[in-house]
Amino acid sequence: MMFGVPIARSLSRFHFSFHSPPLLTTIRLRAFSTEASLDKESVTSEILKEFRATIENAPAASSAKVCYAYIDKICKDGNLSALGQMLQMLNDKNIVVSPNVCNLMLVEAIQNNDIDLSFQVLKKLLLSGESPSATSCIKFARAFRDVNHSVELLRFLKEIVSETSCSSISSFINKIIFAFAKSGQKDSALVIFSLLKRQNDGVLDLITYNIVLDILGRMGQVDEMLDVFASLKKSGFVPDTISYNTLINGLGKVGRSDLCFAYFEEMKKNGNEPNLLTYTALIDTFGGAGNIEESLKLFGEMKLKGILPSIQIYRSLIHNLTKIEKIELATELLGEMNSSSTSLPGPRDFKTKRRQRKT
């Protein structure tokens, strides 16, 4: 492969590794030093020519490995136009690049609020059978806070769902819905869910429904949450412990202890074993509603099952017992909590469980 004279001088700093038979497998671009006679546009043009030559002349496996160096250089220059051309060249040659390369392009497009290029990179990544990282999805969602591209987003999602049959699409949809909610755009997250639910393309799974239940619960939209839970079952999914915990927790936040208990009973009847999160939500709910007897009953039940109460549960019980002037029992629980406080689950344990639940 012949290099142009000016670019050849610049490329003289590159490090090439060859194997037998000679194949270009590694290329590290330390720096592109522009010649005095070349302006930035000319250098970019030459880089694009060399990039095209590389992917046309080298075997697919080899060309995929060297793409990163060229793309990294263009990203560092912030040249989105050239980046878009590179992506088109890769598509024309049906070259599958690594997720790292796609994420490199995606981050650059997102940082520059180039929504169209972000769509193109996401599409290439998904068609390759991969899914963008959760971090990339959150950055992508944040780009929509300042610019309203909701119509384009929905059109893109329709398109990608219709063209992609790989298993990564469900994971991607879940990350996107979660990312929009995480970035303060809960309404947009729900619109995405509603759109895909209406399409009925089979991309929604139980995780999707659990994420949406959590969003609605945090928003205090009880009726909508109950509708989604009913829709979950109607769609053929079997609610798991996470589904019930999310529902009970959401209902508890608005004081619906009657429904909390009903779904708690349904949960056990369907073979879903209550855990620490279940009992925490129930004890908080019943205690807050003044039904301390039910809270104490649940407290005893969980201990009989070998579930270690959390510090939060002890504090909730002690607080509610003090309110109704059951000081002796409150003091007893305080002593019990203090004597075993080092082994009790605390707030950090709950955060860890939530992260695992959403992964």
Side-chain angles (χ1 to χ4, degrees):
M1 177 171 60
M2 299 299 295
F3 297 97
V5 174
I7 294 302
R9 294 195 189 116
S10 295
L11 292 176
S12 64
R13 298 184 183 183
F14 295 2
H15 173 74
F16 294 86
S17 296
F18 294 90
H19 298 279
S20 181
L23 291 176
L24 180 60
T25 58
T26 306
I27 180 170
R28 292 185 296 178
L29 288 83
R30 300 183 184 278
F32 265 99
S33 57
T34 58
E35 299 292 329
S37 59
L38 290 177
D39 58 20
K40 187 174 181 179
E41 184 176 341
S42 298
V43 172
T44 299
S45 178
E46 289 296 327
I47 295 173
L48 288 173
K49 287 180 182 178
E50 296 301 337
F51 181 76
R52 183 185 294 277
T54 298
I55 63 177
E56 285 183 348
N57 299 331
S62 177
S63 61
K65 293 178 182 178
V66 302
C67 285
Y68 187 94
Y70 285 103
I71 291 172
D72 181 54
K73 168 59 187 168
I74 291 297
C75 285
K76 286 177 179 176
D77 286 346
N79 193 329
L80 293 188
S81 175
L83 191 60
Q85 293 178 61
M86 285 180 163
L87 181 62
Q88 187 59 53
M89 292 179 197
L90 292 170
N91 290 337
D92 291 343
K93 292 294 179 181
N94 294 317
I95 293 176
V96 177
V97 294
S98 69
N100 286 339
V101 173
C102 283
N103 278 317
L104 183 68
M105 292 189 286
L106 182 59
V107 168
E108 186 65 26
I110 290 169
Q111 288 178 344
N112 287 276
N113 288 326
D114 192 324
I115 300 300
D116 184 60
L117 182 57
S118 299
F119 287 157
Q120 294 177 46
V121 177
L122 282 171
K123 183 175 180 179
K124 182 166 186 62
L125 188 60
L126 289 165
L127 290 174
S128 72
E130 298 290 342
S131 179
S133 67
T135 301
S136 294
C137 287
I138 290 175
K139 289 180 179 179
F140 173 74
R142 284 174 180 163
F144 286 81
R145 290 189 301 191
D146 301 322
V147 184
N148 185 8
H149 286 287
S150 56
V151 174
E152 291 89 338
L153 173 63
L154 295 178
R155 183 164 56 241
F156 166 73
L157 292 174
K158 284 182 180 180
E159 178 183 321
I160 200 65
V161 166
S162 65
E163 295 183 15
T164 309
S165 59
C166 57
S167 58
S168 62
I169 189 64
S170 292
S171 172
F172 169 66
I173 292 300
N174 292 336
K175 289 176 184 176
I176 285 294
I177 292 175
F178 176 77
F180 270 83
K182 182 75 173 177
S183 62
Q185 303 174 87
K186 293 184 176 67
D187 288 335
S188 295
L190 296 175
V191 168
I192 294 170
F193 169 73
S194 297
L195 167 75
L196 297 176
K197 185 171 175 289
R198 286 197 304 271
Q199 279 190 238
N200 194 28
D201 289 308
V203 297
L204 303 184
D205 56 19
L206 182 59
I207 295 174
T208 318
Y209 280 95
N210 287 344
I211 291 171
V212 172
L213 285 172
D214 185 62
I215 293 171
L216 291 169
R218 291 175 184 274
M219 295 174 72
Q221 297 185 12
V222 176
D223 291 339
E224 291 83 354
M225 184 170 55
L226 292 171
D227 286 343
V228 168
F229 190 75
S231 177
L232 180 161
K233 293 190 282 188
K234 187 177 179 181
S235 298
F237 296 110
V238 178
D240 60 7
T241 299
I242 294 174
S243 308
Y244 281 107
N245 281 352
T246 306
L247 182 64
I248 290 169
N249 191 54
L251 290 168
K253 286 181 178 179
V254 294
R256 294 301 305 270
S257 56
D258 54 335
L259 286 176
C260 284
F261 188 78
Y263 283 108
F264 176 58
E265 291 299 310
E266 178 182 302
M267 176 185 187
K268 293 188 290 184
K269 182 180 179 181
N270 292 341
N272 292 283
E273 196 64 34
N275 58 21
L276 176 59
L277 292 174
T278 317
Y279 284 105
T280 299
L282 289 168
I283 290 171
D284 279 348
T285 299
F286 284 108
N291 192 344
I292 192 65
E293 294 301 324
E294 189 62 40
S295 289
L296 290 170
K297 179 181 175 182
L298 290 164
F299 180 67
E301 179 181 311
M302 69 178 294
K303 290 203 290 186
L304 283 174
K305 290 185 175 183
I307 300 174
L308 189 65
S310 64
I311 294 174
Q312 181 181 342
I313 286 178
Y314 274 107
R315 287 175 176 171
S316 175
L317 287 170
I318 292 167
H319 173 73
N320 289 315
L321 284 167
T322 303
K323 278 172 56 176
I324 59 174
E325 298 184 353
K326 290 195 174 184
I327 307 301
E328 185 176 344
L329 184 52
T331 303
E332 181 183 329
L333 288 178
L334 178 62
E336 184 178 310
M337 180 185 75
N338 289 335
S339 66
S340 55
S341 60
T342 57
S343 61
L344 297 177
R348 289 185 179 181
D349 298 283
F350 278 81
K351 289 180 181 179
T352 301
K353 289 177 185 295
R354 289 192 184 101
R355 282 197 294 268
Q356 292 172 343
R357 181 176 62 186
K358 293 172 182 175
T359 302

